[in-house]
Amino acid sequence: MVIPIELRRTLGIDVKDALEIYVDGEKIILKKYEPACLFCGNADNVKHYCNRIICYECIKKLAED
Ligand SMILES: [Zn+2]
């Protein structure tokens, strides 16, 4: 599938970047893939750990537990 370069530039998508695909009724939605925390869904300050994604906030909470 080819995505117009203007669109890629607007969304900051690189050639090999992963995209998420959703279906909404009869529409297909392509979304830039942003890894989000397994626990809270936060996409900021995330870290890959054992093939899972976790944010620093949740790491802190886990460490305090
Ligand atoms: Zn989190």
Side-chain angles (χ1 to χ4, degrees), residues 2-64:
V2 176
I3 299 170
I5 191 154
E6 297 83 16
L7 245 167
R8 285 200 282 112
R9 279 194 191 130
T10 305
L11 294 172
I13 296 167
D14 254 320
V15 177
K16 297 225 167 159
D17 278 359
L19 293 173
E20 288 181 279
I21 301 177
Y22 300 102
V23 174
D24 176 16
E26 294 188 342
K27 293 178 208 153
I28 296 170
I29 298 171
L30 286 173
K31 189 173 176 278
K32 186 181 173 187
Y33 175 64
E34 287 183 304
C37 174
L38 174 71
F39 296 106
C40 69
N42 185 4
D44 295 326
N45 290 324
V46 291
K47 187 176 165 55
H48 290 253
Y49 181 75
C50 294
N51 284 328
R52 299 289 158 83
I53 294 157
I54 182 167
C55 74
Y56 283 97
E57 286 297 304
C58 290
I59 291 172
K60 263 202 282 176
K61 280 184 207 160
L62 283 172
E64 284 164 9

